[in-house]
Amino acid sequence: ARLPTSKNESKAPKRNRFMYDSIFILIFQLERIAKLLHSCGFIIFALMENSKPYREFGDFLREVFPYKVQKISINAGFTCPNRDGAIGTRGCIFCAGDGSGAFAADRALDIPEQIEAAKARVAGKNGSGKYIAYFQNFTNTYGSLARMEQLFTQALAPEDVVALSVATRPDCLPDAVIALLQRLNTEKPVWVEL
């Protein structure tokens, strides 16, 4: 075996301790949030015992609802701490300029109008099915609690909207928001997408 020729060559490369600590913290936070949401009555998706290492959302919907269900994207005009200057202004690398809500209706429309426009857009695919109101753009729990309650309640009002799905970030779920989502979850299913 060849001996090291310099002092630096004999040292093994150091692992990026910060990266591993950050991954652990992220996993810990996600587990904590999942436990908290589950304790509030939210459904937490689990892995299925099948040939896939994951559970498909469509399979879950078929188990829960006896009819076809289609997500319809809603743009409530929320922002994000990585865009408004609270943390940054450039956004996240995985988030498009429109907040990853390319299929959402025009945010100039109110929530009932956006729901009707989205239903018309997917009518050919959904037929006489039901809908999931999907607040997709940006961080939909980052803002006024009163405004969230108003918008989410409007989205759940139509009879053919059977669930609410809210896209957000783990660091934007304070206790008051979780309490609101828990209360709404007693009316119709509420899902939080992180």
Side-chain angles (χ1 to χ4, degrees):
R2 185 174 82 74
L3 294 174
T5 57
S6 73
K7 185 177 178 181
N8 290 337
E9 189 177 340
S10 65
K11 293 182 180 176
K14 291 184 178 180
R15 294 185 176 197
N16 184 340
R17 181 78 182 157
F18 176 75
M19 180 182 77
Y20 293 110
D21 288 347
S22 297
I23 290 171
F24 172 76
I25 290 169
L26 175 63
I27 291 169
F28 175 77
Q29 290 292 350
L30 290 176
E31 286 177 3
R32 185 180 71 81
I33 290 168
K35 286 177 185 175
L36 180 63
L37 291 173
H38 182 68
S39 71
C40 295
F42 291 95
I43 298 168
I44 305 298
F45 298 103
L47 296 178
M48 291 185 63
E49 294 179 16
N50 62 19
S51 61
K52 300 172 191 166
Y54 56 88
R55 185 175 188 189
E56 289 186 5
F57 188 58
D59 293 340
F60 169 77
L61 291 176
R62 283 186 284 281
E63 291 171 17
V64 173
F65 299 106
Y67 36 75
K68 186 170 176 65
V69 178
Q70 175 81 35
K71 269 186 169 181
I72 51 175
S73 294
I74 298 170
N75 184 343
F78 287 106
T79 185
C80 173
N82 278 344
R83 291 192 182 264
D84 73 354
I87 294 175
T89 57
R90 295 176 29 179
C92 298
I93 60 170
F94 55 82
C95 194
D98 60 1
S100 297
F103 299 104
D106 182 358
R107 79 178 198 184
L109 301 174
D110 65 19
I111 299 303
E113 291 171 327
Q114 286 191 47
I115 289 172
E116 289 306 314
K119 287 178 357 184
R121 194 169 45 253
V122 299
K125 288 173 58 176
N126 199 35
S128 61
K130 307 285 184 178
Y131 303 94
I132 299 168
Y134 181 27
F135 285 79
Q136 182 178 10
N137 296 62
F138 300 112
T139 304
N140 291 281
T141 59
Y142 181 65
S144 157
L145 185 65
R147 182 166 178 259
M148 280 180 238
E149 182 172 12
Q150 176 190 17
L151 298 175
F152 297 161
T153 302
Q154 287 177 4
L156 286 172
E159 190 174 313
D160 56 355
V161 172
V162 295
L164 174 69
S165 183
V166 181
T168 189
R169 306 161 42 116
D171 60 338
C172 291
L173 282 168
D175 292 342
V177 171
I178 290 175
L180 168 64
L181 297 174
Q182 180 183 9
R183 187 174 55 72
L184 294 173
N185 191 49
T186 63
E187 299 170 19
K188 293 182 181 178
V190 174
W191 299 316
V192 176
E193 296 190 17
L194 301 175

